[in-house]
Amino acid sequence: MTARRKVAILLSGRGSNMQALVAAAREATCPYDVVLVASDKPGAPGIAWAAEQGLPTFAVSTKGRAKADYESEIDARLRDAGAEFVALAGYMRLLSDDFVARWRGRILNIHPSLLPKYKGLDTHARAIEAGDKTAGASVHVVTEDLDAGEVLAQAVVPILPGDTPATLGARVLAAEHRLYPRTLAQFVSR
């Protein structure tokens, strides 16, 4: 068996996609290990969960810090952990061009829309308002442009009559939890 690839996860909130990635990493056939879970929010529930699971964690507030300083610290922690890839899982900060360049081709993100539709925020409300029949999630390679990198995989979810952003979001999130671990595993195995 080949060596498992080393993945770090960045998050800002509850970390449900991180939990799905960690659960997959516990399977014997998974090609990656999670070597660090990091957050820009020290009080993020996802960091607490990861720490309870015995995973290495790192969290620091960005308030009052220059972006370059904060990202330099994250970069150092990722490298100290031996990370080869970075999975953004609800990480709500835009990464600088410099950070993306240092990790070019090795950062993935899960986005709650069928890219290239609805880059950025409020994706579920925008899909419903547009009268779309489907919504979904996309896993893409992170580039300097917001939600514009190569789309590796998508999961399609129907928009049902009477859907609200919350009800649609819950179904899309469930699809994300299935999509992201599978796509990350394929990506690190290339």
Side-chain angles (χ1 to χ4, degrees):
M1 184 174 154
T2 59
R4 289 166 69 118
R5 306 307 295 267
K6 296 178 181 177
V7 173
I9 302 171
L10 300 184
L11 59 84
S12 295
R14 69 184 181 272
S16 67
N17 270 303
M18 175 267 303
Q19 291 177 28
L21 295 173
V22 168
R26 290 179 174 151
E27 298 295 325
T29 58
C30 185
Y32 66 83
D33 284 319
V34 176
V35 296
L36 179 68
V37 177
S39 179
D40 60 324
K41 309 243 184 250
I47 283 293
W49 184 89
E52 289 168 7
Q53 302 300 307
L55 293 167
T57 61
F58 166 69
V60 63
S61 175
T62 58
K63 292 186 190 294
R65 298 187 67 188
K67 187 173 196 167
D69 292 342
Y70 172 73
E71 286 187 342
S72 178
E73 189 171 352
I74 288 180
D75 183 66
R77 294 289 185 117
L78 295 173
R79 292 179 191 285
D80 288 348
E84 299 169 90
F85 299 92
V86 178
L88 305 182
Y91 187 68
M92 300 307 291
R93 299 189 73 76
L94 295 178
L95 296 170
S96 70
D97 290 356
D98 182 56
F99 187 92
V100 171
R102 281 182 267 161
W103 289 89
R104 181 161 321 285
R106 297 182 292 147
I107 308 173
L108 296 187
N109 184 44
I110 182 97
H111 182 73
S113 80
L114 296 173
L115 291 172
K117 281 187 159 184
Y118 313 121
K119 297 175 181 181
L121 302 174
D122 302 318
T123 59
H124 308 308
R126 291 160 61 197
I128 292 168
E129 288 168 12
D132 291 355
K133 300 293 182 211
T134 59
S138 303
V139 177
H140 67 94
V141 177
V142 173
T143 64
E144 289 83 355
D145 297 320
L146 178 66
D147 297 330
E150 176 191 1
V151 174
L152 302 174
Q154 293 183 315
V156 177
V157 174
I159 297 177
L160 304 176
D163 254 341
T164 65
T167 59
L168 176 58
R171 286 197 318 284
V172 169
L173 187 61
E176 290 178 18
H177 295 164
R178 294 184 299 273
L179 179 68
Y180 206 4
R182 181 178 71 240
T183 306
L184 178 61
Q186 292 168 348
F187 186 75
V188 304
S189 297
R190 290 185 187 186

